[in-house]
Amino acid sequence: KREKLLPNVLSKEEVKLILEAHSNLKHRAMLSLIYSCGLRCSELLHLKPLDIQSDRNIIVIKQAKGKKDRITPLSPKVLALIREYYKYYKPKVYLFEGQQPGTMYDDRSLQQVLKQALYKAKINKPVTLHWLRHSYATHLLESGTNLRYIQEILGHKSSRTTEIYTHVSKSGIENIKSPFDSL
């Protein structure tokens, strides 16, 4: 049998520390977008400026995993950060470009950005970029968002994939009282 591992999740406080760790605008914008939209690393790197539909507060993610397009809500706070980033960096092709204009940002460099943020935030867990996606989904569930909407936002084909977040969400578990307490 294959192991069934629970997704790794950060607390909201840990996520906040990570997102605020960088003074570099591009690095802060990339990490914020991954968490605030539940993006996969490759989805972030393939984003183009036109994929941000600010008038509708959404991001269109094209040809993601499974060759599927999907939309995800865009936080007004993150939109303001993206606008500030865009004015300063003026990307040509991709929203986040590498050293050469028009080239895609390197995924290993993005992992280094997270690693630096963890060091600055003094978080000593083996956090990956995907933990931000798991944390986003879990925090949505804990705030009362319907599992079906979370499935759509994350682009999961099966609802069973999304249901793993019910196992790490503390919202239901914290209301359960141990029978030991009534002894």
Side-chain angles (χ1 to χ4, degrees), residues 9-75:
V9 175
L10 298 160
S11 69
K12 286 183 180 180
E13 294 75 27
E14 289 171 320
V15 170
K16 189 173 187 211
L17 286 171
I18 291 169
L19 300 183
E20 292 174 348
H22 278 293
S23 55
N24 180 306
L25 182 60
K26 181 190 266 190
H27 296 167
R28 217 171 57 241
M30 287 191 296
L31 294 177
S32 296
L33 208 50
I34 286 176
Y35 172 73
S36 71
C37 299
L39 299 180
R40 296 177 179 99
C41 179
S42 63
E43 292 169 347
L44 175 88
L45 298 177
H46 283 92
L47 280 179
K48 297 195 165 115
L50 290 176
D51 297 335
I52 310 290
Q53 294 187 6
S54 56
D55 55 329
R56 296 175 59 203
N57 277 356
I58 62 167
I59 295 179
V60 178
I61 299 147
K62 296 182 177 146
Q63 298 298 292
K65 189 174 177 181
K67 299 269 185 243
K68 291 182 290 199
D69 291 356
R70 72 173 201 276
I71 59 169
T72 183
L74 178 61
S75 153

Side-chain angles (χ1 to χ4, degrees), residues 7-11 14-19 31 34-35 110-119 121-135:
N8 294 302
V9 175
L10 298 160
S11 69
E14 289 171 320
V15 170
K16 189 173 187 211
L17 286 171
I18 291 169
L19 300 183
L31 294 177
I34 286 176
Y35 172 73
L110 181 54
Q111 288 163 3
Q112 282 303 118
V113 166
L114 176 66
K115 197 172 182 181
Q116 291 165 1
L118 292 169
Y119 178 76
K122 295 179 176 62
I123 295 174
N124 298 315
K125 295 178 180 178
V127 179
T128 65
L129 291 162
H130 214 71
W131 282 33
L132 293 174
R133 178 175 160 88
H134 291 317
S135 300

Side-chain angles (χ1 to χ4, degrees), residues 93-105:
V93 178
Y94 295 98
L95 184 60
F96 298 105
E97 296 182 334
Q99 298 285 345
Q100 305 300 316
T103 63
M104 193 184 304
Y105 199 86

